Amino acid sequence: MQHRTLTLNYLELDSPSDLPAQDLELLHSARNAAIDAYAPYSGFRVGAAVLLDDGTVVKGNNQENAAFPSGLCAERVALFAAAAQYPAQKVVAIAITAISREGEINEPIPPCGACRQVMQETESRTGQSLRVIMAGNAGKVIILDSAANLLPFAFTFKISPNES
Ligand code: THU
């Protein structure tokens, strides 16, 4: 029997204003996306902005539905939209933020497990590390150089893809 330990490397900043310009711009896009989220049921508006290799930014926000499971998280809306519209582009970074019905959120908003799984496969599919930037409107910021750090023991079993 072996006891093993996983180490998680990430950066923590005191405030969004400490971010490098490109990350801050991406976070602003995520905030704009959050403002436009369709979240009448939870009142929790999440915004994500994805930066592609060529500088294109694709925004996503959570989309809810009266038939609850029919909705989708902001991160997957953004990542799937990017893959659909720019299939040849690598995804370099994703910024995530949220606004609550109760007011501003001033802490990082980590993505749910399903979104982590999609981020992980985005990385493996494109061979490009995905930088993840999480922040509220103010307060500390968390940055990971790779989405793989968010999902140890990810499901990576590959069923042989059909030729297409
Ligand atoms: N949500 C996201 O958009 N991203 C996450 O990573 C977690 C949760 C959304 C789903 C739902 O519309 C609302 O936040 C409340 O859970």
Side-chain angles (χ1 to χ4, degrees), residues 91-119:
V91 184
V92 177
I94 183 168
I96 307 161
T97 193
I99 305 164
S100 154
R101 183 149 50 201
E102 278 81 47
E104 288 295 354
I105 290 173
N106 295 320
E107 60 188 276
I109 305 302
C112 80
C115 289
R116 294 176 197 214
Q117 186 72 34
V118 171
M119 288 179 192

Side-chain angles (χ1 to χ4, degrees), residues 38-48 61-65 68 71-77 96-98 109-116 119:
Y38 178 64
Y41 304 102
S42 72
F44 192 71
R45 290 179 288 160
V46 184
N61 46 31
N62 52 331
Q63 297 292 324
E64 298 183 348
N65 192 277
F68 279 9
L72 198 62
C73 293
E75 296 89 328
R76 275 176 288 164
V77 169
I96 307 161
T97 193
I109 305 302
C112 80
C115 289
R116 294 176 197 214
M119 288 179 192

Side-chain angles (χ1 to χ4, degrees), residues 3-164:
H3 287 278
R4 299 190 189 276
T5 305
L6 283 169
T7 306
L8 169 59
N9 291 309
Y10 65 97
L11 289 169
E12 191 178 305
L13 308 178
D14 289 338
S15 150
S17 58
D18 295 337
L19 280 167
Q22 194 180 51
D23 289 348
L24 188 58
E25 209 178 310
L26 201 62
L27 186 59
H28 283 153
S29 296
R31 169 133 184 126
N32 286 335
I35 289 167
D36 292 332
Y38 178 64
Y41 304 102
S42 72
F44 192 71
R45 290 179 288 160
V46 184
V50 159
L51 177 67
L52 306 182
D53 219 6
D54 69 351
T56 303
V57 172
V58 179
K59 292 190 289 182
N61 46 31
N62 52 331
Q63 297 292 324
E64 298 183 348
N65 192 277
F68 279 9
S70 305
L72 198 62
C73 293
E75 296 89 328
R76 275 176 288 164
V77 169
L79 287 166
F80 291 158
Q85 294 173 75
Y86 306 97
Q89 287 288 319
K90 291 185 173 181
V91 184
V92 177
I94 183 168
I96 307 161
T97 193
I99 305 164
S100 154
R101 183 149 50 201
E102 278 81 47
E104 288 295 354
I105 290 173
N106 295 320
E107 60 188 276
I109 305 302
C112 80
C115 289
R116 294 176 197 214
Q117 186 72 34
V118 171
M119 288 179 192
Q120 189 278 330
E121 189 151 334
T122 300
E123 280 189 337
S124 60
R125 175 175 65 81
T126 60
Q128 165 74 52
S129 291
L130 176 58
R131 180 175 172 85
V132 184
I133 303 144
M134 308 175 231
N137 188 45
K140 82 174 181 185
V141 180
I142 289 178
I143 303 170
L144 296 104
D145 285 331
S146 165
N149 285 324
L150 276 172
L151 193 62
F153 301 110
F155 177 74
T156 56
F157 180 79
K158 289 286 184 308
I159 297 152
S160 301
N162 291 325
E163 298 300 326
S164 63

